[in-house]
Amino acid sequence: ALSLVTHTLVMRGFDRLEEDHCRQDTERAGSMLEEQLRSLSATARDWATWDDTYRFVLDRNEDYVKANLNSQALAVVSCDAIAFFDNSGQMTAARNFEPGAPEERDVPPALKKHLKVSSSLLRTPLSGIGTSGLLMTEEGVFLAASRPVLNSLGEGPARGMMVMINHLHPDELKRLDQLLNLSVRILPVDDKSLHPDGQAAALPATESVRVKVLQAGTIAGYKALRAPQGSPGALLEVRVPRTIHGEGRRTAWLFLAV
C-alpha cells in the first residue's frame, strides 16, 4: 500500500512538472506571435503618423503610390495589405500583395468584412491610438493593426484611419515549430474538437494557458489570442510529447520494484 501511495505521489509530481513546462512552451509561442503583432502595430503607427500619408489621404497623389504602395516597399515592413479610410469610415484606397504573387491582388472578401465601418479596426476614436489583433477568416489567419492618420508630429485633426495587415502563412507557423521544436497550430475559438458540446466556456483568458492531455503520448497547451476588439479571436494550440510523464512512470515503477 505504501508503494502505491509513493507511486501516486511521484506521478502527480511529474505530471505537475509536465503541465508547467507545457504552459511555459505555450506562453513562449504566444509571446512570439504577440511580438509580431507589436512590430506590425509600430510600423502602422510610423506610416500613419507621417506627413506624406497625411497628404495622400487628402489628394491620393501618384507619387506616394509609386514610392510606397508596391510589393517591395510593403515586403520590407512585413505587410501584405494596407488600406486607408476617410473620417466616415469609407475605404478610399487599398493595396494587397501576396508573397510570391507577380502582381497586386484585390483585398480578399474574407478580409473586407473586417474593414467595414462597423469593424473593430475602425471603431477606435480617430483621436485615439488605434488597435491591433488577430483575425481568423476563411482565407486564413491575419495580424492587423489600425492607426489614425496624423501629421509627422502626431498632431491632427485626424484625416482618417490606416490599417496594415499581415497574413500569418502556414510557413510562418512552421518556422515557429522549428524555432521552438514544438507543434504549433491556430484554431477557431469554437473548435469542435475542444468543445464537442458546443460550449466555449472553458476557453482560457487571454493571459492564461489551459493544459489538456490529448492522448497517451501528447499533451497540449491552449492560449487565447486577442482580436482587435480585445476579445479572443483565435486559439493557439501547442502540442508537446509527454516525455516528462514517461520519465515519471519509469521512476515510479523503480520505487515499486524496490
Side-chain angles (χ1 to χ4, degrees):
L2 183 58
S3 296
L4 288 175
V5 171
T6 302
H7 178 278
T8 301
L9 292 175
V10 168
M11 286 307 303
R12 283 179 181 172
F14 273 89
D15 286 347
R16 279 196 297 269
L17 179 63
E18 181 178 67
E19 289 185 9
D20 288 343
H21 275 264
C22 185
R23 287 190 179 90
Q24 291 171 11
D25 288 335
T26 305
E27 290 286 8
R28 279 197 299 146
S31 294
M32 293 184 74
L33 290 174
E34 278 291 335
E35 180 55 38
Q36 290 187 40
L37 193 56
R38 282 193 293 270
S39 177
L40 182 66
S41 185
T43 300
R45 181 190 61 232
D46 291 344
W47 277 50
T49 310
W50 184 23
D51 286 342
D52 287 7
T53 302
Y54 199 60
R55 182 167 59 252
F56 171 72
V57 296
L58 198 63
D59 62 18
R60 300 176 209 170
N61 64 85
E62 280 300 313
D63 288 341
Y64 185 93
V65 173
K66 290 177 182 178
N68 303 294
L69 303 185
N70 58 72
S71 58
Q72 293 83 6
L74 293 179
V76 168
V77 294
S78 300
C79 174
D80 295 328
I82 186 170
F84 301 87
F85 301 83
D86 61 23
N87 283 334
S88 68
Q90 297 302 310
M91 186 186 296
T92 58
R95 294 291 187 275
N96 179 44
F97 298 94
E98 283 289 322
E103 57 187 20
E104 177 190 350
R105 297 181 178 182
D106 189 24
V107 176
L111 268 182
K112 281 185 176 178
K113 69 181 183 182
H114 291 283
L115 299 176
K116 295 180 179 179
V117 178
S118 59
S119 164
S120 55
L121 286 168
L122 304 180
R123 258 185 254 148
T124 303
L126 293 176
S127 59
I129 61 171
T131 187
S132 63
L134 184 142
L135 304 175
M136 191 86 180
T137 77
E138 299 89 343
E139 299 279 346
V141 183
F142 296 84
L143 304 178
S146 65
R147 292 284 174 172
V149 177
L150 306 168
N151 65 25
S152 293
L153 297 176
E155 298 172 345
R159 287 182 176 170
M161 296 288 286
M162 190 199 76
V163 179
M164 277 188 161
I165 295 172
N166 185 27
H167 189 183
L168 196 59
H169 296 275
D171 287 347
E172 181 63 26
L173 291 179
K174 287 181 182 178
R175 189 180 72 87
L176 271 181
D177 287 353
Q178 294 168 354
L179 284 174
L180 299 172
N181 196 26
L182 300 167
S183 174
V184 179
R185 291 197 304 164
I186 296 180
L187 307 172
V189 292
D190 58 352
D191 185 83
K192 296 298 186 292
S193 64
L194 292 173
H195 312 292
D197 57 357
Q199 300 297 316
L203 181 71
T206 309
E207 69 278 1
S208 65
V209 173
R210 182 162 64 92
V211 175
K212 179 180 180 181
V213 176
L214 301 182
Q215 50 195 2
T218 308
I219 190 170
Y222 297 92
K223 179 179 177 63
L225 301 172
R226 61 183 174 85
Q229 71 270 27
S231 63
L235 202 59
L236 172 67
E237 178 192 73
V238 175
R239 296 192 176 199
V240 183
R242 300 200 70 190
T243 52
I244 295 177
H245 177 81
E247 188 61 36
R249 286 176 62 89
R250 286 188 290 272
T251 302
W253 280 112
L254 284 175
F255 274 105
L256 287 177
V258 173

